[in-house]
Amino acid sequence: MSVAGCLNDNGGSGTPGDGTTSPDGKGPLTRITIEGTALVVELSEEADVDQVNLIQPNGELFGKRDVAAGAQQVSFEIGTAYAPGEYRVLALKGEETVVETTTELRPEIQIQDVGLYRNNPDKPWDEVYGESETDRIKNGEAFVTVENTGSGPEAITELIFSGDVPNPIENPRGSGMHETDRVVVSPGETADLFSNSFPFGTETEDGMGCSPDGNSGQFTVIVETRVGGNQVSSTYNVQYTGSDDMTDCEVTITEV
C-alpha cells in the first residue's frame, strides 16, 4: 500500500509517508491512501458524515460516495486515465461541508534496471515467453524494471530500445511489451516489463552485434506513460564480446 497523503488533526494534508495518521488526529477523515488504482478515504469511528466528494484539479466533481452508517472508508476508482494534480476531498453532512482536505495524485516513473536472460536467469522468463529447447526468444528479449516513486497510479503503454542494440526499433509493433498493451504501476511499487521487439536478437543493418574482440556502445531504454503523457528514458553502456553470434555472446550492461 502506498500513501497519497496523510491528514493531520486540523484537516490539512500532510506529506506522503507511511500511511499512518498523527496520534492526536481528531478529524472525521483519518487517512487517504492509494490501493492499486483506487483512492481510499478512511473515516474515524466518530465521523458524522453521510457523503464524501472527490474534486478534480480543474474544479469539477470526480465522484461522490454515500457513507453508510458505521462505515469507516469509501473508495474512488481513479484508474489510469485521470488528470494528475491536486485533488480535494470533501466530507459532507447533508449539504454542509464538515471538513475539506487536499491530496496530490501525481505518478513518477523511474527506470531502475535492464537486463537479459543470460545475465538474469532467475526472472520468470519461461513463464513469460514459454519454454524452448533453443532459448532463442528469451536470449533476444530483455526485461526493464520500473518504479513509481510518485503519489498516483501510472500505466506504461510502450517500451522502446534505441541505439547500440542488435535490433533497435524506434516504433515497435504494438506496445513493445510481451502480450500486453499496458502495465499498471501503483505508487511505491516496482514492475518488470518484458520486451517483444527482440532488441537483443539477430543483428540488423542499423544494429550493433557481437565480435570476438568486443564491440562497445550505448543504448537507451524508453518507456511511455499514460497519465503523465511523457517518455521516461535511461541510457546504458553496453559491450558485446567473445563471439561472432549473439546467441553465445557475452553482454555486459552498465549504467552511464
Side-chain angles (χ1 to χ4, degrees):
M1 181 188 301
S2 302
V3 180
C6 299
L7 301 177
N8 54 33
D9 58 1
N10 62 9
S13 179
T15 55
D18 61 3
T20 58
T21 59
S22 56
D24 56 351
K26 300 183 180 68
L29 303 180
T30 59
R31 189 168 71 159
I32 299 173
T33 62
I34 294 292
E35 297 182 10
T37 56
L39 182 144
V40 178
V41 180
E42 296 187 9
L43 309 167
S44 67
E45 290 184 26
E46 301 79 20
D48 185 20
V49 299
D50 50 30
Q51 185 174 303
V52 176
N53 291 356
L54 182 63
I55 310 298
Q56 300 179 75
N58 64 3
E60 295 182 2
L61 178 70
F62 182 91
K64 55 186 178 181
R65 297 290 183 269
D66 292 332
V67 180
Q72 286 188 254
Q73 75 172 35
V74 295
S75 64
F76 298 85
E77 178 60 39
I78 58 175
T80 56
Y82 65 94
E86 187 175 80
Y87 282 69
R88 292 159 54 213
V89 179
L90 281 62
L92 290 82
K93 178 67 174 177
E95 295 185 1
E96 181 183 348
T97 298
V98 177
V99 66
E100 175 181 335
T101 189
T102 60
T103 188
E104 186 84 5
L105 296 182
R106 194 176 300 278
E108 183 74 33
I109 293 295
Q110 296 182 356
I111 297 173
Q112 301 288 9
D113 196 14
V114 59
L116 310 181
Y117 167 65
R118 67 197 77 192
N119 302 331
N120 301 268
D122 293 338
K123 295 286 184 181
W125 300 95
D126 286 343
E127 186 179 323
V128 174
Y129 297 108
E131 295 186 28
S132 152
E133 290 184 9
T134 64
D135 291 335
R136 187 185 74 87
I137 294 177
K138 288 187 294 187
N139 272 322
E141 301 290 4
F143 77 88
V144 175
T145 303
V146 296
E147 181 180 7
N148 185 350
T149 60
S151 55
E154 181 61 280
I156 308 300
T157 57
E158 192 166 34
L159 174 62
I160 299 169
F161 290 81
S162 66
D164 295 324
V165 294
N167 183 32
I169 298 180
E170 300 280 351
N171 188 23
R173 285 189 301 174
S175 65
M177 296 180 290
H178 184 71
E179 291 189 348
T180 185
D181 59 359
R182 65 174 189 150
V183 173
V184 175
V185 190
S186 297
E189 289 189 351
T190 60
D192 285 334
L193 315 176
F194 287 88
S195 68
N196 77 342
S197 61
F198 215 49
F200 291 90
T202 305
E203 181 185 355
T204 61
E205 184 178 341
D206 296 328
M208 175 179 285
C210 200
S211 76
D213 296 330
N215 290 329
S216 297
Q218 289 187 342
F219 70 90
T220 299
V221 176
I222 302 165
V223 296
E224 291 198 0
T225 64
R226 182 177 183 183
V227 176
N230 60 352
Q231 290 188 333
V232 178
S233 65
S234 187
T235 300
Y236 296 86
N237 294 316
V238 63
Q239 184 176 36
Y240 308 95
T241 187
S243 175
D244 286 317
D245 195 309
M246 278 301 299
T247 55
D248 54 359
C249 184
E250 184 177 325
V251 183
T252 304
I253 298 171
T254 55
E255 291 186 38
V256 172

